[in-house]
Amino acid sequence: MAARTLVLGGARSGKSAHAEGLIARADPVTYVATARRDPDDAEWAERIAAHVARRPAHWRTAEAPAPEQLPAVLTGADPAESVLVDDIATWLTGLLDDTGAWDRDPAALQRTREHRERLAEATRRCGSRLVLVSAEVGLGIVPSTRSGRLFRDELGALNAQLAEECDEVVLLVAGVALQLR
């Protein structure tokens, strides 16, 4: 079994369910849910609830740690536990929010990239079985907005960094897992 796996996929590709299936359901697992809850968004709450309902009750959940906390979660994980992070794209969204990088301020973008570096380093140093889930957004159209292009570019760069640190990389397309590494 690979020590570090990156599971990529598009919207509704089955990437989260596939990632969950990579970890033995009886094993102790820390599930790091990166999505921030929004009390004014019922549809988002339904999506989160569907993910929660699918997880075994004994899995421990770390709800939306601040972006700067995720590397410490990975490096501080118990080696006897598996860690599943779902997902990197929502982590990056929170990071771009927190650093104020959406307007492409050079200092904010530098802070964002420093956090990306810390996450890649923590992925390398994580002593637990680690499964990372991330969206693959680079296969579609070029976004028409500056923020959309920024997100696509930053996520593509982050996915590439994380893939370098992972033993296994899987791409989900229409529910089919393609082994990239």
Side-chain angles (χ1 to χ4, degrees), residues 102-120:
W102 290 110
D103 292 325
R104 295 181 180 262
D105 170 67
L109 287 171
Q110 180 59 36
R111 287 191 304 277
T112 298
R113 292 179 181 131
E114 289 168 2
H115 283 290
R116 283 189 2 221
E117 290 293 330
R118 285 195 281 280
L119 180 60

Side-chain angles (χ1 to χ4, degrees), residues 70-116:
L70 183 56
V73 170
L74 300 186
T75 57
D78 181 344
E81 285 190 357
S82 294
V83 177
L84 192 156
V85 179
D86 194 0
D87 88 347
I88 297 301
T90 54
W91 176 84
L92 178 63
T93 299
L95 179 60
L96 291 167
D97 286 345
D98 292 354
T99 60
W102 290 110
D103 292 325
R104 295 181 180 262
D105 170 67
L109 287 171
Q110 180 59 36
R111 287 191 304 277
T112 298
R113 292 179 181 131
E114 289 168 2
H115 283 290
R116 283 189 2 221

Side-chain angles (χ1 to χ4, degrees), residues 22-87:
L22 292 175
I23 296 174
R25 297 191 74 75
D27 286 354
V29 175
T30 297
Y31 185 103
V32 183
T34 62
R36 296 177 180 181
R37 294 182 185 269
D38 180 352
D40 297 325
D41 190 339
E43 187 269 340
W44 188 244
E46 288 173 12
R47 286 175 181 255
I48 291 172
H51 278 254
V52 171
R54 195 172 57 225
R55 292 194 289 267
H58 69 277
W59 283 12
R60 187 174 70 82
T61 300
E63 291 270 352
E68 69 273 4
Q69 294 171 330
L70 183 56
V73 170
L74 300 186
T75 57
D78 181 344
E81 285 190 357
S82 294
V83 177
L84 192 156
V85 179
D86 194 0
D87 88 347

Side-chain angles (χ1 to χ4, degrees), residues 118-150:
R118 285 195 281 280
L119 180 60
E121 173 66 23
T123 297
R124 180 181 323 112
R125 292 182 34 224
C126 183
S128 298
R129 166 74 171 111
L130 176 62
V131 178
L132 303 169
V133 177
S134 190
E136 176 50 68
V137 296
L139 299 174
I141 61 171
V142 175
S144 62
T145 64
R146 282 178 46 148
S147 59
R149 290 187 298 273
L150 172 71

Side-chain angles (χ1 to χ4, degrees), residues 146-166:
R146 282 178 46 148
S147 59
R149 290 187 298 273
L150 172 71
F151 178 76
R152 182 210 48 198
D153 294 349
E154 290 294 317
L155 184 59
L158 178 55
N159 284 345
Q161 283 180 287
L162 295 174
E164 282 296 314
E165 303 304 335
C166 288

